[in-house]
Amino acid sequence: MREASVERLARLISENNSDSQDEEQHRHEFHLSLAEGWFSLFLVATVCFSTVLCVQAANWVEHLDALTFITTVGLAYGIVAAKQQLFPKWSMHLIALCLGLLLALWQTSSAFFGNDIPLFLTAMQRWIAVVNSGGATDDDSIFLFFIITLSFMLSYASIWFVYRTRNPWLMILANAMVILINLNNAQDKNILYLIVFLLASLLLLLRFNLYESVVRWRRQGLRFSDDLSWDFMQTGALISVGLLIFSWILPGSYVDPVVSRIWNTNGSPLVVVQNTWNRMFSVSNNSIPANHGSFQKDLVLGGNPHLTNDVVMIVQSDDGSQYLGSLAYDTYTGRGWTNAGTVDDTLKVPTDFSYSSGALDTHPVKQKISVVNAPQGSYPFVFGASEIAQVNIPTKWLSSSTTGALVAWVGQDARIATGNTSYTVISDVSSADIATLRSVPMPRNAPDYPDSSGYNGVEIIAPPTAYNPLILRTNIALPKDMNPRIAKLAQSITANAPTMYDKVVALETYLRQHYTYSLDVQLPAGREGVSWFLFDSKKGYCNYFASAMAVMARSLGIPARVEVGYTNGSLDARNHQRIVRGVDAHAWTQVYFAGYGWINFEPSATFPTFTRPLPNQYSKSITSTPADLTGSLAKQLPAQLRDKDPESAFDTSANATAARNQQWQREMSVGLGGIIVLLIVAAIAFGVWWRRLFRGYSESMRIFGKIYLLANWAGIGGQTSQTPYEYIKGLFVVAPGDEKSLERLSDIYVRERWADPQSLEHPVKTGEIQELPGIWRKLQPKFILYVLRHPRFLRWLPKRVARIVVAKKKQWHLKRRWKAEDL
């Protein structure tokens, strides 16, 4: 007997040791063999490599082939970091960041600086200085450094999200953001990578959720087929392919004008991030992606603009020769243009409010513009002939905070940025003829601009030929390190021109005759744009021609700037309108003539010059304020309109009222749509919850429990002293005519719950349990309808929620008090 006991104890000890050894061995296998399966790792790697290969295919800079190795290292380190349990999470993240930066430093210094790390660090320091000063850079080495670091951290985070936080959705969203941004900006749309990414992502979600379910089933002791994984993945693959095919054939041209504000409205996070990224990383190894016009706050002298032939807008006008301007730049940076100071976009302008530029000799030009494919841009720009005076839609003024000068008009409604809208513009176009413009003196010969404060409290109006010092100083400024050859060339070109107008025309003519218009250009890194165009390349497109003329004019002391927009397009004589296409996107030069405002000039070869009006061709218009000398655009508005929302003072305007009604209708439609979506989501969530309710119980108990819950919501509660038969009889009022079905349900419920399972009268033995689904299908609609007609739960639901909140609050106070007492 004693030997048997000892033998039994030895066997138990042996089994325990065996179990502990198996557990220890299993623990090691968990780390080495990847419990989630190697197929899940293959899918994660496929998602990451589809993203990285898509970036490599875009070929933004040289040496992007290093991303393949970097991603592999990131995946390997991610597996080790996610599976280990010895070190805290923050240490793994810190090591990952350091490792990513070191790999990026190694690869970048090797690719661009011959492994000279101090030289690379100097370039990094120079890049930081330029970015902090608000400038734009095009150092490819810096872009490669950041893209390598991003690739490593993205691959590491992908593994961590899947295998440590158990949330593959975060991994998919992170990679999706990168691949979509890349595809949206790349010239060659490598859609194949997106297809592989989507297919791998869908299969990963299926595989990971299946693994989690299998673990849960095993823990609960449930049985399942050994072939379930293969069947599940096979079906999931077919569904994934079907979804991709279905999404491929869906139309992709619809854009919701309200929702699009998220990525089109200036100031939105997406637009801010995109503009900041473009300023920080203006890579020079790749040209601009194909587009039908892109107008940003900064104009960069770069490579081929890749303009498409897409129709942008249709214009009906009484003067078809006018260009369509959008934005003017007054500050030259050496590699492009921007505006002095911070551009202000907070001054809202009501519908049909008339703006006066103050210029002498102007005549109105009316243009009806129908936007077909809106150009890309930092703002939803309003296009029209210079100077725009009136727009029949709510707009905003963009003005330089430094000079107060009007920079552009933009629409308050995001539909302008999404196309399929129309608006009418009235512009004050200059009527000044050649003789009039020749009469305007050079700024150095013009009379002094008087102090606007006046004498003895009387405001002094400046003479028309006086230049505002602020406007003049901003529009003749040049970078300090400009090539002196530019000024010498400009002086030699204009040596025999007697007037400012003649000097400007001489510059215009020289550029048109001595330089070639070409899109096949690329400004070398580190070079100043105008010098390179004038003395080295001697070919370029409109951005280079307009910049060269403006810079040479400024070197002579003539105020000039660059305007961007579209030419007048091509004539559609049959419909009496002009068709403006993407290839009509253009840049030209504007010169400021005191008293007469900004006058257009066309320095680009192959484009026709602007035709000047004949003397007395238009009636004279005289305004009391010289052009752009108001100091602040806010002075144009009455006092009651200088707040952020001035439209309230224009209630008498029928157009303003209609615009407000349309805005209200759109907001109402968005609100109602949001409510409908919430109701649909709530209905789906309730349906899922309702189907899974009481799922751990038998069929009769599930049905009886749901009936009890519905009756309670309708105010029919049960008593603890009632038997199931007595309770069911109290529910006859809910389902009149189905009393027998309710009695049958109660009878099956009672016998299934309390009868001997081995008894022949048990519902499972008799087969009566099969009747329950049919009974429930008859009773469920009537109970739900009764609840909808008697929603008594709406009375006690707020009280119950309040009771729960009060109870939680008491628990919180008790915990705080106990914690304080412990301390």
Side-chain angles (χ1 to χ4, degrees):
M1 188 65 158
R2 182 178 178 183
E3 294 179 356
S5 300
V6 172
E7 183 180 354
R8 183 181 306 170
L9 180 60
R11 188 182 303 112
L12 289 175
I13 295 175
S14 176
E15 289 176 356
N16 289 334
N17 289 335
S18 177
D19 292 341
S20 62
Q21 291 176 2
D22 291 342
E23 183 179 356
E24 185 69 21
Q25 182 180 1
H26 177 68
R27 186 181 298 114
H28 288 291
E29 290 177 355
F30 180 78
H31 287 279
L32 298 176
S33 64
L34 202 63
E36 294 85 355
W38 292 106
F39 185 62
S40 64
L41 179 60
F42 168 77
L43 292 175
V44 173
T46 303
V47 170
C48 294
F49 277 108
S50 61
T51 304
V52 168
L53 292 176
C54 185
V55 174
Q56 288 179 329
N59 194 29
W60 297 109
V61 294
E62 296 179 349
H63 310 294
L64 283 178
D65 52 342
L67 297 183
T68 304
F69 167 73
I70 296 298
T71 302
T72 304
V73 176
L75 292 173
Y77 173 75
I79 286 291
V80 175
K83 289 302 181 180
Q84 66 83 32
Q85 300 293 335
L86 297 177
F87 303 100
K89 294 184 292 185
W90 64 266
S91 63
M92 293 293 99
H93 300 336
L94 182 61
I95 293 174
L97 180 59
C98 295
L99 183 58
L101 291 174
L102 289 175
L103 288 172
L105 179 63
W106 167 45
Q107 292 290 328
T108 306
S109 60
S110 174
F112 284 93
F113 300 96
N115 291 320
D116 190 342
I117 295 180
L119 186 60
F120 168 71
L121 294 178
T122 302
M124 176 68 74
Q125 184 179 6
R126 183 169 58 250
W127 174 82
I128 294 175
V130 173
V131 171
N132 287 336
S133 64
T137 66
D138 57 357
D139 193 333
D140 291 353
S141 64
I142 304 299
F143 179 83
L144 180 65
F145 176 81
F146 277 97
I147 206 68
I148 288 178
T149 306
L150 175 63
S151 299
F152 180 85
M153 295 304 298
L154 182 63
S155 57
Y156 164 74
S158 298
I159 293 293
W160 187 272
F161 287 146
V162 174
Y163 294 107
R164 190 63 176 263
T165 65
R166 321 299 291 179
N167 196 339
W169 273 108
L170 292 177
M171 184 274 294
I172 293 173
L173 289 176
N175 283 271
M177 188 179 302
V178 174
I179 196 171
L180 290 179
I181 292 175
N182 182 76
L183 288 175
N184 187 57
N185 292 278
Q187 177 183 347
D188 297 325
K189 304 300 183 182
N190 298 287
I191 198 66
L192 178 62
Y193 297 106
L194 179 61
I195 295 175
V196 174
F197 168 82
L198 292 175
L199 184 59
S201 299
L202 291 172
L203 291 178
L204 176 63
L205 290 175
L206 291 172
R207 180 69 184 88
F208 192 80
N209 286 313
L210 176 62
Y211 168 77
E212 296 284 289
S213 299
V214 168
V215 171
R216 185 174 63 255
W217 295 340
R218 287 174 176 169
R219 186 169 56 248
Q220 295 173 350
L222 300 177
R223 294 184 178 181
F224 54 91
S225 173
D226 295 336
D227 296 332
L228 178 63
S229 298
W230 169 250
D231 295 339
F232 195 82
M233 293 303 298
Q234 187 178 24
T235 305
L238 293 176
I239 294 175
S240 301
V241 173
L243 288 174
L244 290 176
I245 295 175
F246 179 72
S247 61
W248 183 274
I249 63 177
L250 286 176
S253 59
Y254 172 74
V255 177
D256 186 89
V258 178
V259 179
S260 65
R261 294 182 183 181
I262 297 175
W263 56 84
N264 282 322
T265 301
N266 181 66
S268 69
L270 293 178
V271 173
V272 171
V273 171
Q274 181 180 3
N275 292 337
T276 304
W277 179 268
N278 291 336
R279 181 174 63 85
M280 295 171 61
F281 303 106
S282 179
V283 294
S284 61
N285 192 49
N286 196 67
S287 56
I288 301 172
N291 63 95
H292 48 265
S294 179
F295 304 97
Q296 309 295 334
K297 290 193 294 184
D298 298 321
L299 178 68
V300 178
L301 296 177
N304 191 328
H306 285 283
L307 299 172
T308 67
N309 204 41
D310 299 338
V311 175
V312 177
M313 59 186 73
I314 299 174
V315 182
Q316 295 176 331
S317 175
D318 48 7
D319 185 355
S321 65
Q322 297 297 325
Y323 279 11
L324 302 170
S326 65
L327 177 64
Y329 302 100
D330 59 17
T331 303
Y332 181 64
T333 64
R335 293 187 66 86
W337 291 83
T338 185
N339 281 291
T342 303
V343 175
D344 180 18
D345 65 336
T346 59
L347 191 59
K348 295 183 178 180
V349 183
T351 304
D352 290 333
F353 177 77
S354 295
Y355 162 77
S356 174
S357 66
L360 302 174
D361 292 352
T362 62
H363 63 279
V365 171
K366 184 176 182 180
Q367 296 168 308
K368 181 180 179 182
I369 298 174
S370 300
V371 182
V372 180
N373 292 298
Q376 301 174 1
S378 302
Y379 300 90
F381 289 110
V382 173
F383 291 84
S386 301
E387 298 272 344
I388 297 177
Q390 189 175 348
V391 186
N392 71 334
I393 58 174
T395 54
K396 292 187 293 186
W397 282 341
L398 298 186
S399 60
S400 171
S401 62
T402 301
T403 64
L406 180 62
V407 173
W409 294 61
V410 299
Q412 297 182 30
D413 194 334
R415 288 184 301 173
I416 295 180
T418 57
N420 299 320
T421 189
S422 299
Y423 54 88
T424 300
V425 174
I426 298 177
S427 302
D428 289 337
V429 177
S430 177
S431 305
D433 54 58
I434 295 177
T436 300
L437 295 177
R438 280 176 172 162
S439 67
V440 179
M442 290 281 290
R444 61 176 177 269
N445 300 324
D448 293 335
Y449 185 77
D451 186 355
S452 61
S453 62
Y455 302 93
N456 298 324
V458 178
E459 184 176 2
I460 303 300
I461 301 299
T465 54
Y467 290 88
N468 185 311
L470 189 59
I471 301 294
L472 179 63
R473 184 167 57 250
T474 301
N475 290 279
I476 63 172
L478 291 171
K480 295 180 179 180
D481 55 350
M482 286 297 295
N483 189 340
R485 295 175 61 190
I486 298 177
K488 293 180 180 180
L489 177 62
Q491 291 170 0
S492 65
I493 294 172
T494 61
N496 298 322
T499 67
M500 187 176 83
Y501 176 79
D502 292 324
K503 293 179 184 296
V504 174
V505 171
L507 295 176
E508 178 188 47
T509 303
Y510 181 83
L511 289 171
R512 295 174 60 85
Q513 292 179 350
H514 293 81
Y515 293 86
T516 304
Y517 189 91
S518 173
L519 298 174
D520 186 20
V521 295
Q522 180 61 63
L523 178 62
R527 294 295 305 275
E528 185 271 311
V530 170
S531 297
W532 175 79
F533 169 71
L534 290 175
F535 306 117
D536 296 325
S537 172
K538 295 188 177 182
K539 66 178 181 179
Y541 52 93
C542 56
N543 290 3
Y544 290 91
F545 280 90
S547 299
M549 180 175 175
V551 168
M552 286 196 293
R554 290 186 175 199
S555 70
L556 299 174
I558 299 174
R561 68 184 186 183
V562 172
E563 174 91 357
V564 294
Y566 291 92
T567 66
N568 56 345
S570 57
L571 177 64
D572 180 5
R574 180 177 180 181
N575 296 310
H576 306 288
Q577 59 191 15
R578 301 193 74 87
I579 309 299
V580 178
R581 302 180 181 273
V583 292
D584 296 318
H586 195 48
W588 59 96
T589 306
Q590 289 185 327
V591 176
Y592 186 78
F593 288 81
Y596 299 95
W598 294 99
I599 305 300
N600 294 328
F601 289 86
E602 180 54 271
S604 297
T606 73
F607 287 81
T609 58
F610 291 97
T611 303
R612 306 296 170 202
L614 299 174
N616 301 318
Q617 181 177 353
Y618 301 98
S619 59
K620 299 287 184 179
S621 64
I622 301 177
T623 57
S624 59
T625 306
D628 280 333
L629 302 185
T630 57
S632 173
L633 290 174
K635 294 181 180 180
Q636 291 272 348
L637 295 175
Q640 67 270 27
L641 297 181
R642 294 176 193 169
D643 56 7
K644 300 303 182 183
D645 190 11
E647 295 185 26
S648 58
F650 283 77
D651 291 335
T652 57
S653 173
N655 289 329
T657 303
R660 286 195 299 273
N661 290 336
Q662 293 177 1
Q663 179 70 15
W664 178 82
Q665 292 175 0
R666 285 192 299 271
E667 293 177 354
M668 284 294 296
S669 64
V670 173
L672 291 176
I675 292 174
I676 293 174
V677 170
L678 288 177
L679 291 176
I680 293 175
V681 172
I684 294 174
F686 177 80
V688 173
W689 172 79
W690 186 252
R691 289 178 61 88
R692 295 168 61 88
L693 187 63
F694 305 123
R695 63 183 182 275
Y697 298 91
S698 64
E699 183 75 14
S700 64
M701 292 183 68
R702 285 201 302 270
I703 296 175
F704 199 87
K706 290 181 178 180
I707 284 179
Y708 182 89
L709 192 60
L710 290 173
N712 193 39
W713 288 349
I716 305 176
Q719 302 295 328
T720 56
S721 60
Q722 287 181 313
T723 66
Y725 297 108
E726 292 172 339
Y727 175 72
I728 286 294
K729 287 182 180 180
L731 301 182
F732 286 170
V733 66
V734 179
D738 286 322
E739 292 84 356
K740 293 184 177 180
S741 296
L742 286 170
E743 291 177 346
R744 184 62 173 163
L745 172 63
S746 62
D747 180 59
I748 296 175
Y749 167 71
V750 170
R751 287 189 291 119
E752 184 195 25
R753 185 170 183 184
W754 287 286
D756 183 4
Q758 305 301 325
S759 173
L760 297 178
E761 295 182 357
H762 195 277
V764 176
K765 297 289 186 180
T766 61
E768 295 172 285
I769 201 73
Q770 305 297 329
E771 301 178 17
L772 292 178
I775 295 175
W776 179 234
R777 282 194 295 269
K778 292 173 59 178
L779 296 177
Q780 181 176 231
K782 294 187 176 182
F783 273 81
I784 293 176
L785 182 61
Y786 189 84
V787 171
L788 295 177
R789 288 185 300 181
H790 306 82
R792 301 293 177 85
F793 66 93
L794 295 178
R795 298 182 180 179
W796 53 260
L797 183 60
K799 296 180 180 179
R800 179 166 296 184
V801 172
R803 193 180 302 119
I804 294 174
V805 172
V806 171
K808 293 293 184 182
K809 188 175 181 180
K810 288 182 179 179
Q811 292 179 1
W812 182 73
H813 283 296
L814 286 174
K815 290 180 179 179
R816 287 193 61 185
R817 190 177 69 182
W818 293 339
K819 187 176 181 180
E821 291 175 354
D822 293 340
L823 293 176

